[in-house]
């Protein structure tokens, strides 16, 4: 007998993902939230302009994060070390590992990001966009660190 799933197959047809614009042409493309996958995973596509930061130093207490670089070149801060990864590269960050990432200084980048187990984080990405557009202050995100399993690490200047 085949094991049963906790959710039906989920399909995001092309061009139906919500796009959350970022300054200077970047964007979050919201593909699947935990509610869509029975908590199995969350996924988004991130487009970054030349040299743009993707995330400040942080860690996830419960989730593993996978990055697949679709285009361009990314810089990753991984527990004190900075490494560069180009298109076609894969980075997997286990729970508890401090990390940050952004497009390399001379390139744009596009990447697929998967978080497992999934955390409902679409509101987190919307909140980040409002912060980057100057509509909210970063401190408004601090009370939500446990909810989104994103624990910020202030004082690390990784670039």
């Amino acid at each position: 007998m085949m094991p049963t799933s906790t959710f039906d197959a989920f399909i995001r047809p092309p061009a139906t993902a919500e796009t959350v614009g970022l300054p200077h042409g970047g964007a979050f493309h919201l593909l699947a939230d935990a509610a869509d996958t029975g908590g199995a995973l969350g996924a988004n596509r991130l487009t970054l302009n030349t040299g743009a930061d993707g995330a400040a130093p942080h860690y996830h207490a419960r989730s593993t994060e996978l990055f697949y670089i679709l285009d361009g070149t990314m810089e990753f801060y991984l527990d004190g070390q900075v490494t560069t990864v180009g298109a076609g590269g894969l980075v997997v960050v286990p729970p508890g590992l401090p990390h940050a990432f952004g497009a390399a200084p001379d390139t744009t980048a596009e990447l697929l990001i998967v978080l497992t187990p999934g955390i409902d984080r679409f509101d987190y990405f919307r909140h980040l966009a409002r912060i980057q557009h100057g509509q909210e202050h970063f401190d408004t995100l601090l009370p939500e660190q446990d909810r989104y399993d994103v624990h910020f690490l202030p004082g690390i200047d990784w670039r």
Side-chain angles (χ1 to χ4, degrees):
M1 180 186 330
M2 298 289 290
T4 58
S5 175
T6 58
F7 68 98
D8 292 330
F10 176 75
I11 298 170
R12 171 74 63 206
T16 64
E18 177 185 348
T19 298
V20 178
L22 298 171
H24 313 298
F28 292 109
H29 306 276
L30 307 180
L31 301 174
D33 218 354
D36 300 319
T37 66
L41 59 87
N44 71 83
R45 192 176 92 229
L46 177 59
T47 304
L48 294 171
N49 203 355
T50 304
D53 278 340
H58 65 284
Y59 70 92
H60 306 288
R62 303 183 307 270
S63 297
T64 297
E65 194 165 23
L66 177 147
F67 302 88
Y68 180 75
I69 294 76
L70 299 165
D71 191 40
T73 304
M74 292 289 297
E75 290 184 337
F76 286 89
Y77 167 87
L78 301 166
D79 198 19
Q81 301 292 319
V82 177
T83 189
T84 301
V85 182
L90 178 76
V91 176
V92 179
V93 179
L97 187 82
H99 62 287
F101 55 92
D106 58 346
T107 184
T108 61
E110 187 164 356
L111 57 158
L112 174 68
I113 303 171
V114 177
L115 195 74
T116 184
I119 307 287
D120 281 318
R121 296 177 72 207
F122 281 8
D123 283 340
Y124 169 77
F125 298 121
R126 294 176 188 118
H127 197 149
L128 278 178
R130 290 191 302 273
I131 289 168
Q132 288 194 17
H133 283 289
Q135 299 165 341
E136 293 192 38
H137 192 274
F138 180 78
D139 289 348
T140 62
L141 200 51
L142 297 179
E144 305 296 336
Q145 294 179 93
D146 287 332
R147 175 181 172 195
Y148 296 126
D149 191 26
V150 177
H151 304 275
F152 300 104
L153 300 166
I156 298 175
D157 183 15
W158 72 281
R159 290 236 207 178

